[in-house]
Amino acid sequence: MCRSINKGVSLQIGCSLISNFLFSIHGNTMASNVPIIKLNSGYDFPAIGYGTFGGPHAPEQVYHGTKHALEAGYRHIDTAYVYETEEAVGKAVRESGIDRKDIFITTKLFQTFHEPKHVRPAFDISLKLLGVEYVDLYLMHWPFAWEFHGYSFDDIKGHKDENGHRKRIDVSIVDTYRAMEELVKAGVVKSIGVSNFTIPMLEQILKECDIPPAVNQVEIHPSLPQEELLAWCKEHNIVLTAYSPLGNPGHRGQPAMMDHPAVLSAAKKYNVSPVQVLLNWGVSRGYTVIPKSVTPERIKANLARIEMDKDDIEAIASIGREHPHRICDPIKIFGPAFNIFD
């Protein structure tokens, strides 16, 4: 059985896959019982964050949602330049009255800014939009580069070929990452990391760069449990963050993971919602999750912590073990040149 999550103790995750992985729960000023994972950079990383990706109305919804999230006890907010929500997040953070040092802010470098000369200017735009003096975590959003057309939101949109595909350009992830390392050295970023990286890509960064990635943000849910990547990252002290932790129910015609018998069974057993089961399944496996919602009640409910038995964690992991399914497939989204998960 996974042990209770209490402040001041170290927990051993009750799963055979990660039986040697420990994360510590430290005393903190948070208004909730969200576990804290220690990054390899030395900073505390709240295991449940508030995701701010959205559609055309995202800025307004994210502003109100972030305010609700901070009031509910969230201290980890995840955004990105391409989401166009950094300004909304920054405004909500400033109006929250919460000390900046107590809020962990993640944002991301867009693909058109991968040439080293563009990394610092692009970051400075994000910093200005957020209205903060530093960012806690800066991620390389995808492990490939596109042509640069300018720094504005309008500049990064469009620019597809006659087939609706993006053009990939030859910029090494190592060169981009080294430029990101300069942000840490300049004191404007506390930790750096990556997103959508495979094990070989991570191995290359570890071999050729100075600062190991603190985080790799990837798609994880029961249809894509990412067991090999999870085990490898734990071994190399890199924390995973799960985007789409609920499997994006209904997105691109995908079935809702919350309707799966294993999830429903666990929800009944622990007397919680299927959504709470899925989020706790992720945290129990030793990584962070960043659910999205604009509904105050759901935002608050997503913070609920439960103990989960090892057998329940295993039953849910088995959903996608034999037939994994990726929702955010770069081939389908960007074109055949982006087959990075083959």
Side-chain angles (χ1 to χ4, degrees), residues 6-294:
N6 297 307
K7 295 179 181 178
V9 298
S10 293
L11 307 179
Q12 180 134 11
I13 307 302
C15 310
S16 58
L17 173 65
I18 54 175
S19 60
N20 63 341
F21 176 70
L22 296 176
F23 63 90
S24 297
I25 310 305
H26 305 284
N28 58 74
T29 60
M30 295 177 63
S32 66
N33 62 340
V34 175
I36 302 296
I37 299 178
K38 182 70 74 173
L39 296 177
N40 60 26
S41 54
Y43 295 100
D44 290 347
F45 193 33
I48 302 177
Y50 182 66
T52 65
F53 174 78
H57 303 295
E60 181 179 358
Q61 291 177 336
V62 162
Y63 164 68
H64 293 291
T66 302
K67 291 193 75 172
H68 288 305
L70 292 170
E71 289 170 2
Y74 288 79
R75 296 296 182 266
H76 168 190
I77 310 296
D78 182 275
T79 185
Y81 179 72
V82 71
Y83 299 169
E84 299 186 34
T85 57
E86 290 172 320
E87 189 171 13
V89 166
K91 182 180 179 183
V93 167
R94 289 190 299 275
E95 293 179 358
S96 71
I98 301 168
D99 197 318
R100 168 67 185 92
K101 67 180 177 60
D102 294 326
I103 303 176
F104 193 105
I105 299 176
T106 299
T107 194
K108 308 177 190 77
L109 179 75
F110 190 62
Q111 292 86 272
T112 56
F113 307 140
H114 276 213
E115 292 177 85
K117 64 183 178 181
H118 297 312
V119 171
R120 180 61 192 257
F123 171 79
D124 285 342
I125 293 172
S126 289
L127 201 65
K128 183 177 180 179
L129 288 170
L130 286 163
V132 296
E133 295 182 354
Y134 66 91
V135 166
D136 296 275
L137 178 63
Y138 198 46
L139 303 179
M140 192 187 314
H141 208 150
W142 283 94
F144 43 72
W146 298 344
E147 291 179 326
F148 175 78
H149 294 280
Y151 293 105
S152 73
F153 291 132
D154 289 338
D155 291 331
I156 67 174
K157 297 175 181 177
H159 309 294
K160 299 178 181 179
D161 63 21
E162 63 276 7
N163 297 314
H165 299 152
R166 289 281 190 169
K167 180 181 179 181
R168 188 170 182 174
I169 63 171
D170 186 18
V171 179
S172 169
I173 56 174
V174 169
D175 291 341
T176 303
Y177 193 86
R178 284 174 175 165
M180 293 171 62
E181 290 180 320
E182 295 303 313
L183 301 175
V184 178
K185 296 173 184 178
V188 290
V189 172
K190 291 190 173 182
S191 303
I192 54 174
V194 295
S195 183
N196 298 297
F197 269 48
T198 62
I199 291 173
M201 294 173 189
L202 292 168
E203 288 175 330
Q204 184 179 9
I205 294 295
L206 290 177
K207 180 180 179 181
E208 301 185 39
C209 298
D210 295 328
I211 302 175
V215 171
N216 183 20
Q217 185 176 129
V218 295
E219 179 181 340
I220 314 178
H221 46 75
S223 285
L224 193 68
Q226 299 273 30
E227 291 174 301
E228 182 182 7
L229 180 63
L230 178 59
W232 189 93
C233 284
K234 288 185 187 302
E235 181 182 349
H236 292 83
N237 200 20
I238 298 171
V239 175
L240 290 185
T241 292
Y243 69 76
S244 299
L246 307 180
N248 275 14
H251 183 65
R252 296 191 177 99
Q254 300 307 314
M257 285 296 100
M258 59 193 69
D259 293 334
H260 192 279
V263 176
L264 292 175
S265 175
K268 182 178 180 180
K269 175 179 178 178
Y270 301 111
N271 193 28
V272 296
S273 73
V275 169
Q276 290 168 326
V277 167
L278 292 174
L279 296 178
N280 278 275
W281 174 74
V283 174
S284 296
R285 298 174 79 217
Y287 52 81
T288 67
V289 296
I290 45 172
K292 301 176 296 182
S293 179
V294 296

